[in-house]
Amino acid sequence: MFAHELCLLDTTKPPPPIDDSFPHPTLLEQLRMTDVQRVEQFLATVVSRNVRTDCKVRSSTIPISISTCRAELCEALHVLENLKHSSLVLDDLLLREDESDTRWTEELDRAKQLRRALVGVLEPLENVERKQHLMHKLAKRHKKRAWQKRRNKRLQEDRKAEQAIRTQRLEEIAAWEAEWKDRLDRERVAREELQMKTIILNDVRRRKARAKRMLTRFEKAVQLQQQRRHVPSTNTCGSEERLVTKMDALITEWKGKLGECVKEEKRLKAELNRQSTGNVSRRRENRWRKVLFGSAALGAVTGHRSNDDWWQELIAVRRAWDKFSLPSNTDQNQKEDHMTDGESVAPTTWIVPPEQPLPEWDVYQERKTTKR
């Protein structure tokens, strides 16, 4: 210690206690104060920089409601209408030149109150920023409503198109159902006709069998009568002649019935074969066999050969025909130039037969027969 410090010490008092704690409270207080000052300095600089932007944000976020503005405008119009009525009353009183009347004073005070109320209502409406924000909001609302109108119109057109498609689809379904009902009705009628003709054919066959049995009996009776002629008897010749005549008449009658049954059976069998769907492909195949091989019977076509042999022969004939075929886009003049005498060309497409074909080709035409 220095000498002047020793003079200031009070030797009568004990020395202060030594503070062994770390960190020292005084040092902590100094650090806290320094931090507070630095934070205040930083906040002051930040606030000074953002004052203008905050003002802009506050001015740009003015709460505006279109319904509130509408209510204020309606109130202003109502006040203006009352003020107009008050001015008319004042003009009437002015024409009477009676300004000392109490009504003049009351109406004048009322007009002043209405004027102050109108000014109070119109003052917030004259704010430029508020007008701009209101116009911006109205433009957004108009734009939104225009978009809603376009959307509703598009949705309405889509609904109409879907309805038209649905109606067309329902009409197609109804037409398809009607067509199939008609087809099923025709098939049912054809099936009933086939069943009826089958029943009639069975009845004809029973009558045919009965006629054959009766003819067999009559023939046996005639044979017995012929055998009795060789045996001597006491019967007269007249009775034998009558019996023979009667038997001949019965045989002739039942032979006629048998012939009618045979004809009816053939006719019914032919009709059943024509109306049967299973025989259509077989008849068509038989016609083609007759055209290609000269006979409709499969045995006459193949003979003792196997199926592979006659199919190979058919393929060889087809290849021989293909040698004379030319493309359909070849010019007719080129055909005539390349063709020599005695050669012919097989067309590559189907040939439509003429309306009046030759007799030898007329037999191959398919004719539509009406069902009875």
Side-chain angles (χ1 to χ4, degrees):
M1 290 185 180
F2 297 99
H4 65 278
E5 291 180 356
L6 291 173
C7 295
L8 295 175
L9 292 175
D10 189 1
T11 57
T12 59
K13 294 180 180 180
I18 299 173
D19 189 4
D20 296 333
S21 62
F22 183 83
H24 199 274
T26 306
L27 179 61
L28 292 176
E29 184 66 22
Q30 292 177 358
L31 292 174
R32 188 183 66 80
M33 294 299 295
T34 305
D35 293 339
V36 169
Q37 291 177 0
R38 289 180 179 178
V39 169
E40 290 178 355
Q41 184 180 2
F42 174 75
L43 292 176
T45 55
V46 171
V47 170
S48 62
R49 291 176 183 175
N50 296 334
V51 168
R52 295 182 180 179
T53 57
D54 292 341
C55 293
K56 291 181 180 179
V57 171
R58 290 173 186 172
S59 62
S60 62
T61 57
I62 298 175
I64 297 175
S65 176
I66 296 176
S67 58
T68 305
C69 292
R70 186 188 298 111
E72 292 177 356
L73 287 174
C74 291
E75 184 181 358
L77 291 174
H78 182 66
V79 174
L80 183 61
E81 186 177 358
N82 292 333
L83 183 60
K84 184 178 179 181
H85 178 70
S86 180
S87 63
L88 292 175
V89 173
L90 289 174
D91 291 340
D92 189 16
L93 293 175
L94 185 61
L95 291 174
R96 294 179 184 178
E97 296 180 356
D98 189 6
E99 297 182 0
S100 61
D101 191 0
T102 56
R103 290 183 58 192
W104 171 267
T105 307
E106 292 176 357
E107 196 65 32
L108 187 61
D109 295 339
R110 181 172 177 272
K112 291 180 180 179
Q113 291 177 1
L114 291 173
R115 183 174 177 278
R116 287 194 297 270
L118 183 61
V119 171
V121 173
L122 293 177
E123 186 176 358
L125 295 175
E126 292 178 354
N127 190 358
V128 179
E129 294 182 357
R130 190 177 182 185
K131 286 182 181 179
Q132 292 178 355
H133 290 294
L134 181 62
M135 294 299 295
H136 180 65
K137 186 168 284 190
L138 288 173
K140 289 174 64 176
R141 174 171 287 189
H142 292 163
K143 186 176 180 180
K144 183 178 180 180
R145 288 188 176 178
W147 174 80
Q148 288 178 349
K149 288 181 180 179
R150 292 195 302 270
R151 184 195 62 180
N152 294 336
K153 185 177 180 180
R154 185 180 68 253
L155 293 176
Q156 186 177 4
E157 292 177 355
D158 293 342
R159 282 195 297 270
K160 288 182 179 179
E162 290 178 359
Q163 185 68 25
I165 294 172
R166 189 180 299 110
T167 304
Q168 183 180 2
R169 184 61 178 170
L170 291 175
E171 290 177 356
E172 292 177 357
I173 292 173
W176 178 78
E177 289 180 352
E179 181 182 358
W180 272 99
K181 284 182 180 179
D182 188 15
R183 185 178 298 180
L184 291 175
D185 291 339
R186 291 198 302 269
E187 291 180 357
R188 180 179 55 79
V189 171
R191 189 165 53 251
E192 291 177 356
E193 289 181 358
L194 286 175
Q195 292 177 357
M196 186 60 64
K197 289 180 180 179
T198 304
I199 294 172
I200 295 172
L201 180 61
N202 294 331
D203 183 66
V204 170
R205 286 175 177 173
R206 284 194 297 269
R207 289 190 284 116
K208 177 183 174 182
R210 182 169 176 270
K212 286 183 178 180
R213 288 196 301 270
M214 295 301 294
L215 287 174
T216 304
R217 290 178 184 177
F218 294 151
E219 290 176 356
K220 287 182 179 180
V222 171
Q223 290 178 1
L224 290 174
Q225 183 64 27
Q226 290 177 357
Q227 291 177 1
R228 288 177 182 176
R229 287 181 181 178
H230 300 287
V231 179
S233 61
T234 58
N235 294 332
T236 60
C237 297
S239 61
E240 293 180 359
E241 291 178 357
R242 286 195 301 271
L243 180 61
V244 171
T245 304
K246 187 176 181 180
M247 286 295 175
D248 292 338
L250 290 173
I251 290 172
T252 304
E253 181 182 356
W254 282 98
K255 280 185 177 180
K257 292 181 179 181
L258 180 61
E260 292 178 358
C261 291
V262 171
K263 291 180 181 179
E264 186 70 16
E265 183 182 8
K266 288 182 179 180
R267 186 181 65 81
L268 290 173
K269 287 175 69 175
E271 289 182 0
L272 291 175
N273 290 332
R274 282 196 303 270
Q275 294 179 1
S276 178
T277 57
N279 295 329
V280 174
S281 60
R282 187 177 61 187
R283 290 197 302 272
R284 186 181 295 109
E285 185 178 355
N286 291 338
R287 285 198 299 270
W288 276 108
R289 284 176 182 171
K290 190 173 182 180
V291 171
L292 294 174
F293 305 106
S295 176
L298 185 60
V301 176
T302 58
H304 298 288
R305 296 172 296 176
S306 62
N307 293 333
D308 295 337
D309 294 339
W310 73 271
W311 274 115
Q312 292 296 332
E313 183 179 354
L314 178 61
I315 292 172
V317 173
R318 174 59 190 269
R319 287 177 178 173
W321 274 90
D322 290 341
K323 290 180 181 179
F324 297 94
S325 63
L326 293 176
S328 58
N329 57 357
T330 306
D331 193 4
Q332 186 69 22
N333 296 328
Q334 295 180 0
K335 290 182 181 180
E336 294 178 357
D337 294 339
H338 290 289
M339 289 172 57
T340 59
D341 295 339
E343 292 184 356
S344 61
V345 176
T348 57
T349 58
W350 292 101
I351 298 177
V352 180
E355 296 181 357
Q356 296 180 356
L358 297 176
E360 56 268 18
W361 294 102
D362 189 22
V363 294
Y364 300 112
Q365 281 191 335
E366 292 186 0
R367 294 179 176 82
K368 295 183 179 179
T369 58
T370 57
K371 297 181 181 180
R372 296 181 180 178

